[in-house]
Amino acid sequence: TREASRALTRSMLLLSSVLFLACGCAILIGKRCIGDRIRVLEGASERLAGGDPQVKVCELVVGGELGSLARTFDAMAEQLHAREEALARSEAFLNTVIQTEPECVKMLDREGRLQMMNSAGLAMIDADSLAQVQGECMYTLVTPEYREAFIELTENVFRGVAGNLVFETTGLKGRRVWLDTHAVPFRNDQGEIVSLLGITRDITEHRKSEEERQENLLLFESLM
């Protein structure tokens, strides 16, 4: 009948409206869910870039391609964390070796300013700490008669030529010391020379013994 047909039409329209609203809500919820997961990944990326390799997202972002991306992200963060720990161990080991080395290990810039020096080197120049001399020009500690040779050695190293020099220094407390240094270029990852790396040993006692030997030899020859 006509009345039944109208009722059926109204029911179909109502059902269509409900389905349309349901689809709209599903799409909106899905977009929000995806957006939230993307924001989680974005925040984790910022934390990782800021130096926090322990960030985890796979438990917060699950399912689908984003879940797979989250698992890949966590694996990458774990690898980065493992590399940073290995690098930290290597740096600690190297620093221990340098600081316990009985000879002076130092690095200078091309103007002769001190960048790094180990404990043995600081003792040679009578410095109480690295902070006391870091950034200071080391040329002033070299006695005048050897200063030009030391400057020339530094300039040659920054041209890529290693060298040796025996010279005398006057420490911060006025103590004079004879040193024998071997200097080589230190390069960065791009191959550019950024520092002079010097290994220096104190030969004061050896120098004194040699001078005494020469004096005794001359005395002996004069008596003959």
Side-chain angles (χ1 to χ4, degrees):
T1 65
R2 184 178 297 177
E3 188 63 31
S5 187
R6 287 177 179 174
L8 179 60
T9 300
R10 286 195 297 270
S11 297
M12 291 296 294
L13 288 173
L14 180 61
L15 180 60
S16 297
S17 298
V18 171
L19 288 173
F20 179 78
L21 288 173
C23 288
C25 289
I27 292 172
L28 181 60
I29 292 171
K31 285 183 176 180
R32 285 182 177 175
C33 182
I34 291 173
D36 288 343
R37 292 192 291 173
I38 289 175
R39 281 190 289 274
V40 168
L41 287 170
E42 182 181 10
S45 299
E46 291 176 354
R47 288 174 59 191
L48 184 63
D52 181 9
Q54 298 185 6
V55 58
K56 300 289 183 184
V57 295
C58 64
E59 295 180 357
L60 301 176
V61 180
V62 295
E65 294 182 356
L66 287 179
S68 177
L69 179 61
R71 290 191 296 272
T72 302
F73 179 92
D74 283 356
M76 180 182 66
E78 288 177 1
Q79 291 176 0
L80 179 61
H81 183 52
R83 288 174 186 162
E84 287 188 346
E85 286 188 332
L87 179 60
R89 288 194 297 270
S90 296
E91 289 179 347
F93 173 77
L94 180 60
N95 185 62
T96 300
V97 170
I98 291 174
Q99 290 302 326
T100 55
E101 168 61 42
E103 296 181 349
C104 168
V105 180
K106 64 177 180 291
M107 296 179 75
L108 307 178
D109 67 13
R110 66 175 62 244
E111 281 76 39
R113 291 187 295 258
L114 184 67
Q115 297 174 322
M116 183 277 291
M117 180 177 280
N118 67 347
S119 299
L122 296 174
M124 288 180 189
I125 62 174
D126 293 324
D128 297 324
S129 67
L130 177 60
Q132 184 181 5
V133 289
Q134 192 170 33
E136 298 295 328
C137 181
M138 293 292 100
Y139 297 158
T140 58
L141 298 182
V142 181
T143 54
E145 57 267 37
Y146 295 99
R147 193 167 298 158
E148 287 300 322
F150 191 93
I151 293 173
E152 183 179 0
L153 172 69
T154 304
E155 292 174 347
N156 285 338
V157 166
F158 277 92
R159 295 189 189 103
V161 181
N164 286 82
L165 181 67
V166 174
F167 61 100
E168 190 178 25
T169 64
T170 303
L172 300 182
K173 298 177 182 178
R175 184 171 63 99
R176 295 172 77 92
V177 178
W178 281 96
L179 301 175
D180 183 0
T181 191
H182 178 62
V184 298
F186 183 82
R187 303 175 186 269
N188 61 14
D189 293 339
Q190 290 72 46
E192 302 167 333
I193 300 173
V194 293
S195 300
L196 174 153
L197 174 61
I199 308 297
T200 304
R201 60 191 181 96
D202 186 341
I203 60 168
T204 305
E205 293 303 318
H206 173 75
R207 187 87 177 189
K208 288 180 179 178
S209 297
E210 184 63 24
E211 289 176 353
E212 290 175 359
R213 190 184 72 83
Q214 290 294 334
E215 290 175 0
N216 291 334
L217 180 61
L218 290 173
L219 178 61
F220 177 78
E221 290 176 349
S222 67
L223 294 174
M224 293 297 292

